[in-house]
Amino acid sequence: MTSSEAAPFSLELSEDVAEVKEWVHQFAKDVIRPAAEEWDEREETPWPIIQEASKIGLYSLDFFANQWLEPTGLGIPVAFEELFWGDAGIALSIVGTGLAAASVAATGTPEQVGEWVPQMFGTPDDIKLGAFCASEPDAGSDVGSIRTRAVYDEAKDEWVINGTKTWATNGGIANVHVVVASVYPELGSRGQASFIIPPGTPGLRQGQKFKKHGIRASHTAEVILEDVRIPGRLIVGGKEKFDERIARVREGKRARGQAALKTFETTRPSVGAMAVGVGRAAYEYALQYAQEREQFGRKIGDFQAIAFKLADMKTQLDAARLMVWRAAWMARQGKEFANAEGSMAKLFASEMCVRVTEEAIQILGGNGYTRDYPVERMHRDSKIFTIFEGTSEIQRLVIGRAVTGLPIR
């Protein structure tokens, strides 16, 4: 192909993605935003809103699958930005199941995907949730230190799992839990696998439910596993493939994927999109406020100090969105994150969100610090993006290793 025949470069959304964007935005505007303050104060799972999302097909396997498989890779980032523009806590209640679903879809067998992923969503009349359980009280960012143990009982062809998971979205109230456990502790993260815990399995129970700084409409809790027994076939990806991977590790060969890290690699650009949505919501509110609020006989947006804040906020938002889109596009095209582009997008977007929501409060002044105005809630919600699915420090570590090729610690 000659240069004159090269396909044109375009950042314009496809017709399908543009339609999804408008559809999700309307739901966020009409259903999520009016309920945001109430569910933040209640600190409870917003079941009625999840049900409304299910009725229109927004909370469904079909929706998530179609957006994950969208050819440009922008389906999920665009949809998540709009949902989190509505409200982060409610949105996380709607998309939280997606992490568990993604973990099975990414490495599970076709049979596992077909049997268990639909059970994470249920129907509009019988809503179900999924929960991905990786973090532990002593193993958050350090996934290699996971102590939850899975032991194979060959006589019964069962896995016996014991341990405590923490900070699990939908933990304890989910229909299906996907739990990362260590099978060979001496191999660190390379000796781990994910396991599907069916509903009603004896030995699994909810521990402490956390009262959080932000995203308070999303349920976060400990999950305690005491002699949980599951069929041998419920190791994600199948036992045969896991045994093959362990054999490669013991031979000193590179293992193809690790239980928790594989899931996070898939979802980091999506977390960046969530952060862009919250940041955009705060920016738009601050912009409107600056255009209407008067001090010293002038609109405050007319003051350079305020205008420059808004200029920086808008610039950072657009830059973050472009980084998220690039990473999502690369992932969909099967391109390697040679420079940790997924981590770059998550790092920049999450820290941008904290800065932009803080500046929104500053522009509103005393009003912004009260719960009478939504930017206070948005600022509380923003902080989580620099913590979950890999802290900012971990993202910098991943990026640093990628660009230097050195084992930075």
Side-chain angles (χ1 to χ4, degrees), residues 261-297:
L261 299 181
K262 184 71 174 177
T263 299
F264 293 147
E265 287 171 9
T266 304
T267 58
R268 275 172 181 159
S270 301
V271 176
M274 298 174 189
V276 171
V278 174
R280 186 183 118 213
Y283 161 75
E284 290 177 357
Y285 197 94
L287 174 63
Q288 182 178 358
Y289 187 89
Q291 291 169 331
E292 297 173 354
R293 172 74 165 172
E294 291 190 4
Q295 290 285 278
F296 306 104

Side-chain angles (χ1 to χ4, degrees), residues 11-23:
L11 285 172
E12 185 174 3
L13 296 176
S14 69
E15 184 177 342
D16 288 344
V17 174
E19 287 180 0
V20 167
K21 175 182 171 68
E22 178 56 33
W23 177 57

Side-chain angles (χ1 to χ4, degrees), residues 4-327:
S4 61
E5 296 173 329
F9 174 76
S10 175
L11 285 172
E12 185 174 3
L13 296 176
S14 69
E15 184 177 342
D16 288 344
V17 174
E19 287 180 0
V20 167
K21 175 182 171 68
E22 178 56 33
W23 177 57
V24 177
H25 178 81
Q26 208 59 45
F27 181 82
K29 179 182 177 182
D30 297 341
V31 180
I32 294 179
R33 278 206 164 179
E37 182 180 1
E38 174 190 352
W39 290 98
D40 177 71
E41 293 288 344
R42 291 175 63 166
E43 299 190 54
E44 297 173 359
T45 301
W47 292 104
I49 298 178
I50 300 175
Q51 186 173 41
E52 289 300 312
S54 181
K55 286 179 180 177
I56 66 169
L58 179 56
Y59 182 76
S60 69
L61 173 57
D62 285 346
F63 173 76
F64 280 87
N66 288 339
Q67 299 316 307
W68 277 117
L69 297 175
E70 193 279 322
T72 67
L74 300 185
I76 286 289
V78 166
F80 280 18
E81 178 179 336
E82 298 306 321
L83 281 172
F84 281 75
W85 172 88
D87 176 68
I90 293 176
L92 193 56
S93 287
I94 294 173
V95 308
T97 292
L99 187 59
S103 70
V104 175
T107 56
T109 65
E111 294 76 18
Q112 289 172 340
V113 174
E115 180 177 3
W116 296 105
V117 175
Q119 293 189 49
M120 297 182 190
F121 292 92
T123 66
D125 295 325
D126 188 20
I127 299 295
K128 303 296 184 184
L129 303 174
F132 182 71
C133 308
S135 295
E136 298 186 357
D138 296 318
S141 297
D142 183 9
V143 295
S145 296
I146 284 176
R147 293 183 180 178
T148 296
R149 185 78 191 275
V151 177
Y152 183 59
D153 183 341
E154 191 168 356
K156 296 183 177 180
D157 185 25
E158 291 181 336
W159 291 98
V160 184
I161 306 175
N162 284 279
T164 298
K165 294 298 182 179
T166 194
W167 308 312
T169 299
N170 299 333
I173 64 172
N175 192 52
V176 178
H177 291 75
V178 180
V179 174
V180 178
S182 179
V183 182
Y184 299 102
E186 70 276 12
L187 299 179
S189 60
R190 296 176 300 170
Q192 296 169 1
S194 292
F195 298 85
I196 299 167
I197 314 297
T201 299
L204 185 148
R205 62 183 174 87
Q206 179 184 311
Q208 175 187 4
K209 177 185 175 182
F210 296 103
K211 297 179 71 67
K212 304 187 300 294
H213 177 63
I215 55 166
R216 302 198 307 190
S218 173
H219 175 96
T220 309
E222 288 181 328
V223 174
I224 299 171
L225 304 105
E226 297 174 328
D227 292 328
V228 169
R229 285 183 170 267
I230 59 172
R233 64 186 176 84
L234 294 186
I235 180 173
V236 176
K239 189 173 186 301
E240 184 177 345
K241 282 191 175 180
F242 176 71
D243 289 342
E244 290 174 358
R245 178 160 68 85
I246 294 301
R248 288 195 301 271
V249 171
R250 294 197 186 281
E251 292 171 5
K253 298 178 181 178
R254 182 181 177 88
R256 293 194 291 267
Q258 296 164 13
L261 299 181
K262 184 71 174 177
T263 299
F264 293 147
E265 287 171 9
T266 304
T267 58
R268 275 172 181 159
S270 301
V271 176
M274 298 174 189
V276 171
V278 174
R280 186 183 118 213
Y283 161 75
E284 290 177 357
Y285 197 94
L287 174 63
Q288 182 178 358
Y289 187 89
Q291 291 169 331
E292 297 173 354
R293 172 74 165 172
E294 291 190 4
Q295 290 285 278
F296 306 104
R298 301 160 64 184
K299 306 291 187 185
I300 65 170
D302 191 36
F303 292 99
Q304 189 179 86
I306 301 300
F308 279 14
K309 285 183 185 295
L310 291 165
D312 287 342
M313 292 160 74
K314 177 62 172 170
T315 300
Q316 292 173 43
L317 272 165
D318 282 13
R321 183 183 297 108
L322 287 171
M323 292 185 74
V324 167
W325 284 14
R326 178 185 68 169

